[in-house]
Amino acid sequence: MEQTPDYLMIALRLLGALGLLIYGMRMMSEALQKMAGPQLRHILGRMTTNRLTGMLTGTLVTCAVQSSSATTVMTVSFVSAGLLTLAQAISIIMGANIGTTLTAWIMSLGYSVDLTNVVYPAFLVGMILIYKHRHRFVGDFLFGIAFMFLSLVMLSTTGKEMDLEHNETVVAFFSSFDTGSYWTILAFLGIGTVITCIVQSSAAVMAITILLCSTGVLPIYLGIALVMGENIGTTATANLAALGANTQARRAALAHLVFNVIGVIWVLCVFYPFVNMVCRIVGYEPTMAGQTSRLPVVLAMFHTCFNIINTGILIWFIPQIEQLVCQLMPEKPEPEMEEFRLQYIQANLMQTPEISVMQAQKETIQFGLRLERMFDMVRQLLDEHNSKATEGLYKQIEHQETLTDRTEFEIAAFLEKVSNNHLSDETKLKVRLMMRLVGEMESIGDACYNMARILNRRQTLSRDFSQNQYSQLHKMTELTAASIRQMNNVVGGRKDNCNGEETFSIEKQINEMRNRLKEENILEADKRTFDYAVGTMFVDFINECEKLGDYVVNVVEARLG
């Protein structure tokens, strides 16, 4: 009597193998990103000079990390951090679609070659390297490969145990679909898209598709429809990750979806001739029974042909794709009162610590520019005498002070998360100095707000400075503005090309002017040139300018280490 397979245990082993596959690929991808973290910016910057090199970069990176989603999310985070333009990102994403075809070939290999000979040595070497702390990431990478190969062995074994080709119910179910109908193809395309969106892994869905086709129960046309759906579903990862990012990052994620949807549309127009062509390349005849051993190769070949041809066609239309996504996702109009929004730091886009530190550095540059604009508002307030205009400027400065407080908090919280990772000594030092830097920058915002309060008090008390006092205050604010501009040059420039000499020179001039003006103020007060309240406001204002200069020096020192 023939024994009936225990389908519950087989289903559990199948789910376990899929979980192991996803975990192994993620482990391998993260290990490679950590190993290449410090060099990724330079690689992407140098190799994306034109659309062809950008495409090649995306292909190579995806082949290395074995995940188009990882490459795409990484690319979106680089766009968010201002390290890549939208056009560069689109070319990399196109290359990522080609690179991900290697995964399908590895999976098809797992159904024809015994990978257990590779798995156990990889586990052994990986374990040794993990215990040797210096090569921990290499060990993690080998463990990821071992888990991935082990899962493929388990899937192949489980597929044989399921014996689906002799299960009349399963065979009858899939046979009930009309493979010659476009509605059936569209239905399976939608199923592939939805499942991939849910499990967030096109590799897992590809593994299931190969498993079903290799047993002979799933016709090749329906299997290929699922693969096309996976190409659309895999774009969900980057689009979800970019939800809280800036507009350019969201556009890059949307470009991935647009690119794949356009590819699926033109393939659907020539679906049966295209699939038959791929089958002929492999030497498979769809109308003949048997030959199931070649079906995994047919799926891998289709995946490769589809992505290479799609990229080969659409790479020449990158400007048009860029224009399309910009129209689909226009910039939001700026509100009258600026809203709080970090441009480069997005918690859901955090990558390797080195890349995260680069994002934080970009954010500090924006912080400095915000402070420069804030001080310009103070200078406008100094020369403004219309009560309504004065009130409006004061409210804007007050709002900016709130934004500087939040900016400091958000950057510091982000850096705190980064410091929880395994960091090199150089990166640890960068994080410490940046924490100090943003604290000093927030103090500059406080000084600007204090100046605004002094000028607002001038309006409230109906007092005003003398012409000579205005002349001296203009000279002081000009020096202070120069110190902020120089600070931003240092913060935004390369450390090797910057020094603090000019900042220290300006600070010395501010100190000397502060001391001279305080002495002159005492003499003028004795002559009764102005009343006590005006003299106090004058001294308070120049003291705040001097404090601001001190904070600028502290920022420059923190930046230069």
Side-chain angles (χ1 to χ4, degrees), residues 130 138 212 345 361 390 459 517 522:
I130 287 173
V138 180
L212 291 172
I345 290 176
Q361 285 174 340
T390 300
Q459 194 76 19
L517 291 179
I522 293 171

Side-chain angles (χ1 to χ4, degrees), residues 317-493:
F317 297 95
I318 287 178
Q320 287 76 18
I321 294 174
E322 182 179 11
Q323 188 177 5
L324 175 61
V325 295
C326 288
Q327 289 174 350
L328 293 172
M329 191 171 288
E331 287 278 5
K332 292 181 180 178
E334 290 292 328
E336 288 185 15
M337 193 68 79
E338 184 182 356
E339 296 178 355
F340 176 77
R341 183 181 70 248
L342 295 180
Q343 291 190 33
Y344 301 109
I345 290 176
Q346 314 295 339
N348 54 342
L349 288 177
M350 185 177 285
Q351 295 292 313
T352 62
E354 288 78 11
I355 296 170
S356 298
V357 168
M358 283 191 287
Q359 289 177 315
Q361 285 174 340
K362 284 275 187 178
E363 207 63 68
T364 59
I365 293 171
Q366 294 303 309
F367 197 179
L369 295 174
R370 181 191 294 281
L371 293 170
E372 190 173 338
R373 292 194 300 271
M374 188 176 179
F375 188 71
D376 285 342
M377 290 179 191
V378 172
R379 296 178 74 185
Q380 289 177 43
L381 186 60
L382 175 64
D383 292 328
E384 185 58 65
H385 294 89
N386 180 279
S387 58
K388 189 174 181 181
T390 300
E391 184 182 358
L393 271 172
Y394 178 72
K395 283 184 177 178
Q396 284 189 52
I397 295 169
E398 190 174 39
H399 181 63
Q400 286 293 324
E401 200 276 332
T402 303
L403 296 184
T404 59
D405 287 346
R406 286 195 61 186
T407 302
E408 180 209 10
F409 174 79
E410 293 293 342
I411 296 176
F414 181 78
L415 289 170
E416 222 170 23
K417 287 182 183 177
V418 174
S419 63
N420 291 332
N421 291 286
H422 177 71
L423 304 176
S424 64
D425 291 337
E426 182 184 357
T427 306
K428 284 178 184 175
L429 179 61
K430 282 182 182 177
V431 170
R432 284 199 302 271
L433 290 175
M434 213 175 303
M435 293 277 271
R436 178 190 166 197
L437 184 145
V438 295
E440 297 293 346
M441 280 184 154
E442 192 276 330
S443 296
I444 293 175
D446 289 343
C448 289
Y449 179 52
N450 288 338
M451 290 181 210
R453 289 171 63 189
I454 292 165
L455 296 174
N456 192 54
R457 193 163 77 238
R458 172 195 62 175
Q459 194 76 19
T460 305
L461 297 174
S462 299
R463 298 284 196 278
D464 206 357
F465 301 119
S466 67
Q467 287 297 331
N468 180 56
Q469 284 177 322
Y470 269 116
S471 174
Q472 299 298 342
L473 289 174
H474 286 147
K475 290 177 184 177
M476 175 62 92
T477 54
E478 180 58 43
L479 268 179
T480 309
S483 72
I484 296 176
R485 286 194 297 271
Q486 181 58 25
M487 174 194 78
N488 284 336
N489 290 338
V490 173
V491 171

